[in-house]
Amino acid sequence: MARGKGELIYKIYRAFSYGLSPMINLHLRWRKFRGLEHPKRWTERLGRPSLPRPAGPLVWFHAVSLGEGMAAIPVIKCCLTRRPDVTVLMTSTTLSAFEVIKKELPANVIYQFAPVDAPAAVEAFLGYWKPNAIILIESELWPNLIISAAKDGIALALLNARISAKSFRYWSLPVVLPLAAFMLSKFSLIVPLSNQQAIQFQLLQAPPLVINFSGDLKYAVEDTTLAGDNGLEELQEQLKHRKVWMASSLHRGEDKILLRVHKALKEIYPDMLTIIVPRHLEVGQEIVLELQRKGISVALRSRSDKLSLGTETYVVDTLGELRELYRLTPIAVIGGSFLPGLAGHNISEAAVAGCAVLTGHYLGHFNHMVQEMQRLNPSSVLQVSGDMLVEALIELFSDAKLLETRRAAAKQAYHALSIGVVENMWRLVQFHILDKSVPM
C-alpha cells in the first residue's frame, strides 16, 4: 500500500515537472543570459550531449557543486585505476564548479553538465549515455532521475549521503514521505556521512541493508603544494615577515564582522595582512568596494596585484585556488558559519594545509566534522562567535607556542580521520554496485 502511494505521488510529480518543461527551458535561457549557465554548453542541462559515448560499460558520477565534486574525485581516480575497462562520466550543475573541477579530473573522464529533473531531459540523457551505474554524491535526490534509472535497470548509489534539517522536515511530511521511501528503495547502496544522517535516512524508510558506513570523503582531499607558475610562491615569500590570517568562504553579511576584526587587529599589528576569500565572486566585488570606501588598501588576486608594505588586505576574487591559498597563512577562519541561517563549510582543506582552524557556530552538516576532529584533539578546531573572534586571533598572534599547537593538532586530526576513507568507500562501491552492474 505504501509503495502504491509512493508511485502515485511520483506520477503526480512527473506530470507536474513535464508540464513545467517549457518554463524550465526558458529559465535556463535566462540563466545563460545572466552568465549563470555555460554560454555554449547550457543545452547539456536539457540532456543534449556534446561528446560521443565510448563503447563499453560506463559509470556516471554526479555532484551538484564544487565541494561535492571535489569529494568525488578520489573515488573516480580509484575507479579508473581498479577498473580500466570502465568509462567514467562526471556531471555537475553549477558553472563555478565546472570551471574548477574540469582542471582536477583525470584527462580520460568525460565531463558534462547534469540534466535538469524534467522527464524529457532525464530520459534523453539516460538514453544517450546508457550508464551501467549512477553514483550520486551527498544530497542529490531527484525523483525523475532516480525512478527513470531504476526502470532502466541502472544500479544507484548515494555516497557521503546527507539530508539537511530543512530537507528532512520536507521529506518527512505525510504527503511527501511515501515518495521519499519510494525513491530510497531504488538504491543499492547508501553511505551516510554520520550516524545521525543514517538515522534520518532510516526514518525516511531507506532499506536498512543498503546503509553502510565508510567515513567522510571530504577528508580525502589531497594535500597540495604551491604551483610555481601562478605567483603564489612569490606571494608566500612576501608574507614571510608579516602577521597573516585568512578569512575564507565568506558570505554576504559576514564582511561586516571581517572589517570590524581587521580594524581592531590593525591597531595592534600595523604590518598585518588579511587575506579575504569570498564564497561567491559577487560578494568579493562588494567587499572590495566597502574596503575602498573605508580607505583600506586592497590588492586583488584577479589583477595579479603586487603587495607592498602598505597593503592591508588581499582579496582573492578567483576560483579554484583555496587549497593552495591555505598554504600562505598560519591561521584560517572558515566563513559561512558566523550568522544564523548559514551552514558552514569544509574545514579539512585548511587542516591538511596545517592552519590553525577557527569557525563559527552555524555549521549545518559540517558540525559532525568539527565534532569528530575535536574528539580526536580538542585543539584541532576552535569555535568562536563573531564577537570573540578578535580576542581569539590576538591570542594566536601573541603566543607562538599556542599557534603551533593548534596548527599541528588540526593536521594530525585530519590525517587520523582520512586514513582508509577512499579505500573503504571503493570496496562498498565495488561490492554493492560494480560487481553486480559491471562484472569483470
Side-chain angles (χ1 to χ4, degrees):
M1 182 176 176
R3 177 185 175 87
K5 192 173 181 181
E7 289 183 14
L8 175 62
I9 296 171
Y10 169 65
K11 287 177 181 178
I12 295 171
Y13 173 89
R14 180 179 172 84
F16 184 71
S17 58
Y18 182 82
L20 284 178
S21 294
M23 294 299 296
I24 293 172
N25 193 317
L26 287 173
H27 179 64
L28 286 174
R29 290 175 182 273
W30 173 241
R31 283 177 57 83
K32 184 194 76 164
F33 176 75
R34 293 172 60 206
L36 300 176
E37 298 287 345
H38 197 284
K40 294 181 179 178
R41 298 180 58 173
W42 69 275
T43 54
E44 293 174 16
R45 303 278 281 130
L46 297 172
R48 301 170 191 169
S50 62
L51 293 170
R53 187 209 190 279
L58 181 144
V59 175
W60 171 20
F61 285 78
H62 171 63
V64 63
S65 194
L66 180 57
E68 296 88 344
M70 295 301 290
I73 288 176
V75 184
I76 289 173
K77 289 180 176 178
C78 197
C79 182
L80 292 171
T81 301
R82 307 289 179 88
R83 293 297 303 267
D85 58 313
V86 170
T87 296
V88 171
L89 167 68
M90 172 74 180
T91 64
S92 60
T93 300
T94 66
L95 183 57
S96 57
F98 177 83
E99 296 297 338
V100 177
I101 292 173
K102 70 180 181 181
K103 300 174 185 176
E104 300 288 335
L105 282 171
N108 54 342
V109 173
I110 300 171
Y111 193 18
Q112 299 276 281
F113 284 99
V116 294
D117 198 50
V122 168
E123 288 168 9
F125 190 94
L126 294 177
Y128 181 83
W129 292 106
K130 294 181 172 56
N132 298 74
I134 300 175
I135 298 176
L136 307 174
I137 309 297
E138 294 207 1
S139 56
E140 289 298 273
L141 296 176
W142 294 103
N144 283 320
L145 170 59
I146 292 168
I147 305 305
S148 296
K151 284 181 178 178
D152 290 346
I154 301 168
L156 286 156
L158 185 62
L159 309 187
N160 255 33
R162 67 176 179 86
I163 301 177
S164 68
K166 182 179 179 181
S167 294
F168 179 72
R169 287 193 296 271
Y170 169 77
W171 286 115
S172 299
L173 292 172
V175 71
V176 186
L177 181 58
L179 175 58
F182 186 50
M183 280 196 299
L184 293 174
S185 71
K186 304 302 181 183
F187 283 89
S188 300
L189 174 65
I190 297 174
V191 187
L193 273 178
S194 63
N195 288 334
Q196 180 184 353
Q197 290 291 338
I199 291 169
Q200 291 188 156
F201 277 103
Q202 286 186 312
L203 290 173
L204 295 177
Q205 301 177 20
L209 292 179
V210 307
I211 296 177
N212 292 267
F213 293 92
S214 167
D216 189 344
L217 281 174
K218 287 183 176 174
Y219 289 125
V221 60
E222 295 177 353
D223 201 357
T224 186
T225 56
L226 296 182
D229 59 353
N230 61 9
L232 290 180
E233 280 188 343
E234 181 184 352
L235 186 60
Q236 186 180 44
E237 188 68 26
Q238 293 174 338
L239 298 176
K240 267 187 177 179
H241 305 293
R242 295 182 68 172
K243 300 284 188 185
V244 181
W245 71 288
M246 177 191 290
S248 66
S249 299
L250 289 181
H251 285 243
R252 186 174 284 110
E254 290 184 308
D255 54 311
K256 295 180 175 61
I257 299 172
L258 162 76
L259 293 175
R260 186 173 69 247
V261 172
H262 172 82
K263 184 177 179 181
L265 292 175
K266 200 67 179 168
E267 292 178 0
I268 305 171
Y269 308 104
D271 68 332
M272 183 197 72
L273 179 78
T274 300
I275 300 175
I276 303 167
V277 188
R279 178 65 175 175
H280 303 289
L281 295 182
E282 62 271 19
V283 176
Q285 294 166 0
E286 294 169 10
I287 291 174
V288 170
L289 291 174
E290 184 64 20
L291 290 170
Q292 291 172 339
R293 274 197 296 267
K294 291 184 177 296
I296 298 173
S297 59
V298 56
L300 294 182
R301 174 69 177 155
S302 62
R303 296 193 311 221
S304 301
D305 289 346
K306 303 296 182 183
L307 298 184
S308 68
L309 291 176
T311 304
E312 300 177 61
T313 57
Y314 187 73
V315 176
V316 181
D317 52 345
T318 55
L319 295 171
E321 297 186 296
L322 186 55
R323 283 189 300 162
E324 289 182 278
L325 286 161
Y326 281 130
R327 290 282 174 188
L328 301 178
T329 176
I331 302 170
V333 177
I334 314 300
S337 61
F338 289 99
L339 295 174
L342 298 179
H345 286 294
N346 186 7
I347 63 174
S348 67
E349 293 175 325
V352 72
C355 296
V357 179
L358 291 80
T359 189
H361 294 285
Y362 302 98
L363 296 171
H365 75 276
F366 285 103
N367 188 56
H368 89 280
M369 181 179 282
V370 170
Q371 289 181 347
E372 283 183 327
M373 290 183 66
Q374 288 176 335
R375 272 196 293 268
L376 283 173
N377 191 325
S379 297
S380 60
V381 185
L382 178 61
Q383 283 184 270
V384 295
S385 65
D387 293 335
M388 299 300 295
L389 194 50
V390 172
E391 182 180 325
L393 290 170
I394 290 174
E395 188 176 18
L396 291 173
F397 277 139
S398 60
D399 189 337
K401 186 176 180 181
L402 175 63
L403 176 58
E404 288 308 309
T405 297
R406 288 202 171 276
R407 295 181 70 181
K411 194 160 191 170
Q412 288 166 2
Y414 163 81
H415 282 299
L417 290 165
S418 67
I419 294 172
V421 169
V422 176
E423 183 63 29
N424 292 339
M425 191 72 79
W426 170 251
R427 287 174 182 167
L428 290 173
V429 171
Q430 179 72 41
F431 179 77
H432 292 275
I433 303 296
L434 296 188
D435 281 351
K436 298 169 184 176
S437 61
V438 196
M440 294 185 74

